[in-house]
Amino acid sequence: MIPFDFEYYRPESISMAVEWFQSLQAQGKNPIYYGGGTEIITLARNQSIQPGAVIDLKSVPECNLLGFQNDRLVIGACVTLSTLTAVNPFPLLSETAQGVADQTARNKITMGGNIFSEIPYREAVLPLLLSNSHIVIAGKQGIREISIHHVFSEQRRLEAGEFLVCVLIDRTYLTLPYVHYKKRQIGFVGYPLVTIAALKKDTQIHTAYSGVCPFPFQSAEMDRLLNDISLPRAQRVHEAILQLPAPIMTDTEGSASYRKFVLQQTMLDTIHALESR
Ligand SMILES: Cc1cc2nc3c(=O)[nH]c(=O)nc-3n(C[C@H](O)[C@H](O)[C@H](O)COP(=O)(O)OP(=O)(O)OC[C@H]3O[C@@H](n4cnc5c(N)ncnc54)[C@H](O)[C@@H]3O)c2cc1C
């Protein structure tokens, strides 16, 4: 049960969503955008958040797009992880999405809700970082398209009142050789100790990580070291780990030292799998 009252809004256009957010904000109602609601409902139940209004984006047509526009794959923010996996336009993204939660939760969890969730994992963002995706953002300044790297440089950066409309991925990335490894403490459902998604493009391996640091990331310097074939693989991994963008996390899933051990093995598996392809 959610132990407080809140208002529910379901706009049918981008402009309506933006205007309602501004108006509700001005009335002091502390509005929040709503995708699948899995995180919002959990946090509201334990009163970690207390929005006075939620703005459900699921009736905004652009947030439900899933298909190609010219040479780009368009994925609306409200497309669920289950739909992404079933339609499978980008196999690396499908496999990453399939690693999140369980089927029942994935029927609700949206692309936008996963990449803007409060949790440090946000695994669906990894294939977007690797494919240099662009995202369309709407807010009171209008609609803008920006690189995913601008929004996901360690911290998520959206202005207050902005929301993700859709993601744009260049078609050339969709069929590249890839691997995805998700290592958990136990079982097949749960948050990662280490997740690595990787693509091979023009002989170079590109890697992205979740579960390692308190945010998902890709590092050009780590990729440069991992691709230095003049060094043995174990040394490349050792040197790449020295370039992590933040200390390795300790949380209920595992300690930093255990995560580091799992990370080393998973990076070796990644190089081994992609170097031969
Ligand atoms: C059992 C379980 C296991 C899970 N395991 C994992 C895991 O291993 N890895 C992982 O990455 N995730 C995992 N998740 C998912 C994660 O914890 C969140 O619940 C989920 O990502 C939230 O998605 P949602 O669509 O329900 O978002 P919501 O609950 O609707 O919103 C979450 C946040 O995103 C914001 N938001 C929503 N849509 C937009 C938008 N279009 N633009 C801007 N902001 C937006 C909301 O305002 C809110 O702050 C798990 C969830 C469950 C229930």
Side-chain angles (χ1 to χ4, degrees):
M1 191 190 93
I2 296 176
F4 57 88
D5 291 335
F6 60 92
E7 296 171 12
Y8 175 84
Y9 294 85
R10 193 151 171 156
E12 291 179 359
S13 69
I14 293 175
S15 57
M16 213 184 263
V18 171
E19 280 163 27
W20 285 357
F21 188 99
Q22 299 306 323
S23 153
L24 291 161
Q25 181 91 311
Q27 294 168 49
K29 291 192 174 159
N30 186 24
I32 186 170
Y33 290 117
Y34 184 103
T38 58
E39 181 174 280
I40 291 176
I41 291 170
T42 304
L43 296 180
R45 278 182 181 147
N46 65 27
Q47 298 193 66
S48 302
I49 58 169
Q50 204 158 336
V54 300
I55 302 175
D56 189 341
L57 297 169
K58 284 197 287 292
S59 292
V60 175
E62 293 86 345
C63 291
N64 290 293
L65 293 171
L66 181 56
F68 286 91
Q69 283 176 4
N70 301 319
D71 276 334
R72 297 202 287 187
L73 172 65
V74 184
I75 304 173
C78 291
V79 172
T80 65
L81 300 190
S82 293
T83 301
L84 265 180
T85 305
V87 177
N88 194 22
F90 184 7
L92 173 57
L93 181 56
S94 302
E95 213 171 296
T96 308
Q98 192 126 30
V100 170
D102 53 62
Q103 181 67 43
T104 309
R106 288 195 297 273
N107 290 342
K108 293 268 179 210
I109 295 171
T110 61
M111 189 74 184
N114 187 248
I115 68 182
F116 286 105
S117 61
E118 293 298 318
I119 54 158
Y121 308 108
R122 303 176 211 122
E123 291 179 74
V125 85
L126 303 184
L128 307 185
L129 293 171
L130 292 169
S131 55
N132 296 317
S133 303
H134 280 67
I135 59 175
V136 176
I137 300 291
K140 68 176 176 189
Q141 313 295 347
I143 297 175
R144 62 194 173 110
E145 180 186 322
I146 49 172
S147 162
I148 188 84
H149 297 289
H150 278 114
V151 180
F152 278 89
S153 164
E154 301 193 3
Q155 296 305 316
R156 295 157 296 158
R157 282 182 294 188
L158 284 186
E159 303 295 328
E162 285 188 326
F163 68 92
L164 175 76
V165 177
C166 62
V167 173
L168 307 166
I169 305 167
D170 191 300
R171 192 191 279 271
T172 56
Y173 285 94
L174 306 180
T175 51
L176 293 174
Y178 72 90
V179 291
H180 170 264
Y181 296 110
K182 179 164 181 174
K183 302 290 170 68
R184 302 176 182 84
Q185 190 185 55
I186 192 165
F188 298 102
V189 176
Y191 293 119
L193 279 167
V194 171
T195 295
I196 298 183
L199 281 176
K200 188 172 182 184
K201 186 171 195 296
D202 304 329
T203 74
Q204 296 295 292
I205 298 170
H206 301 270
T207 56
Y209 304 80
S210 167
V212 179
C213 298
F215 46 84
F217 65 90
Q218 183 192 13
S219 159
E221 181 58 12
M222 287 176 69
D223 285 346
R224 190 187 67 73
L225 290 160
L226 291 178
N227 282 289
D228 181 356
I229 55 171
S230 69
L231 300 175
R233 286 176 183 161
Q235 190 178 342
R236 287 187 248 164
V237 166
H238 173 77
E239 292 192 12
I241 288 177
L242 295 176
Q243 300 300 322
L244 284 170
I248 300 179
M249 281 201 294
T250 290
D251 63 11
T252 49
E253 308 303 320
S255 66
S257 58
Y258 183 53
R259 272 202 159 90
K260 184 176 177 188
F261 168 75
V262 175
L263 175 64
Q264 281 166 334
Q265 301 307 313
T266 314
M267 288 169 86
L268 282 169
D269 291 345
T270 302
I271 303 178
H272 179 75
L274 283 181
E275 233 162 37
S276 57
R277 290 173 68 183

